[in-house]
Amino acid sequence: MILYPAIDLKDGHCVRLLRGEMSAATVFGDDPAAQAAAFEAAGCDWLHLVDLNGAFAGQPVNALAVEAILSRITVPAQLGGGIRDMATIEMWLEKGLARVILGTVAVENPALVRDAARAFPGKIAVGIDARKGFVATKGWAVETTVQATDLARSFEDAGVAAIIYTDIDRDGAMQGPNIPATEALARAVSIPVIASGGVSSMADLAALQETGVIAGAISGRALYDGAIDLATALQALKA
């Protein structure tokens, strides 16, 4: 199971939100590229980046910060937030991102996801953010009647590289991930599923890994707070 350290970008800073609320942002640093380099130095295999402003704006907002990160690291990085058309997908992949995450458009324009997955094999992931099992879009501000599992299954034959599943009510709350829901989703599809939201301890990582079906886990606040030591966690997951 791959551990993805998360760098959430708001106004050029590294932040963490509580349950997706922009007004509940905690700033952890003003040099995202330095933070990315520190995560790489600790041994991570991937980085997970989110343009929070972009998720609300519907277009890239923290591009300069993302570009600075990409210029400092050699490990692959994936990015979500504000990526809603083919031109933006192409732009980011040309700038060196290994994978782009499509969230809102997966609900509103699923054909784009399919077209992008065909055009860029292995480089397109779907972000499914859910509150009580139902998908939320546009930076989690809009709740839909679409069930997370149904959305995931709809891309079963599309060739997407991964599904990033976030339980919004757990995100940033340091209360542990929703393992039953994440495991159920992973068992419902053949697409690799990455768990996000609430991963806050070594025990959480072990529990996710023990399911045997979850391909990765994203953690942010716990790494900044020191609840999880990245180097130690990476070693434990490879043991």
Side-chain angles (χ1 to χ4, degrees):
M1 189 177 79
I2 297 170
L3 176 57
Y4 295 74
I7 297 179
D8 288 5
L9 299 163
K10 179 177 184 279
D11 307 329
H13 301 297
C14 294
V15 306
R16 289 300 290 168
L17 306 185
L18 178 61
R19 301 185 180 93
E21 293 293 334
M22 288 288 265
S23 60
T26 302
V27 177
F28 284 100
D30 57 7
D31 190 343
Q35 182 62 66
F39 283 150
E40 181 173 25
C44 71
D45 297 312
W46 272 87
L47 278 179
H48 175 76
L49 313 176
V50 182
D51 182 347
L52 292 170
N53 303 98
F56 285 91
Q59 61 188 25
V61 175
N62 286 284
L64 289 177
V66 175
E67 289 171 26
I69 289 169
L70 294 176
S71 71
R72 285 281 293 273
I73 61 172
T74 59
V75 293
Q78 62 184 19
L79 170 72
I83 305 171
R84 298 185 190 164
D85 56 51
M86 192 67 85
T88 307
I89 294 168
E90 292 176 357
M91 180 269 288
W92 278 126
L93 293 177
E94 287 171 1
K95 287 182 182 294
L97 273 173
R99 196 152 67 196
V100 299
I101 303 164
L102 304 179
T104 294
V105 293
V107 176
E108 297 184 351
N109 186 7
L112 175 66
V113 177
R114 295 175 176 279
D115 291 345
R118 275 194 298 271
F120 306 106
K123 295 183 178 295
I124 305 299
V126 171
I128 297 181
D129 308 321
R131 199 178 266 119
K132 297 178 173 58
F134 291 95
V135 178
T137 61
K138 294 186 169 70
W140 305 348
V142 177
E143 298 195 14
T144 73
T145 57
V146 179
Q147 291 204 333
T149 303
D150 291 341
L151 183 61
R153 284 194 177 118
S154 74
F155 294 113
E156 187 72 277
D157 61 347
V160 300
I163 288 171
I164 292 95
Y165 176 71
T166 303
D167 186 300
I168 296 168
D169 289 329
R170 305 292 184 106
D171 192 67
M174 298 289 284
Q175 294 173 352
N178 189 335
I179 294 173
T182 310
E183 180 179 359
L185 183 70
R187 293 190 185 281
V189 294
S190 61
I191 306 164
V193 171
I194 299 168
S196 174
V199 179
S200 53
S201 68
M202 293 292 289
D204 290 340
L205 291 171
L208 288 166
Q209 189 175 38
E210 283 166 11
T211 66
V213 293
I214 295 170
I218 293 166
S219 185
R221 181 178 290 271
L223 298 176
Y224 297 108
D225 284 350
I228 295 176
D229 177 76
L230 180 56
T232 303
L234 292 167
Q235 284 301 115
L237 290 174
K238 289 173 181 172

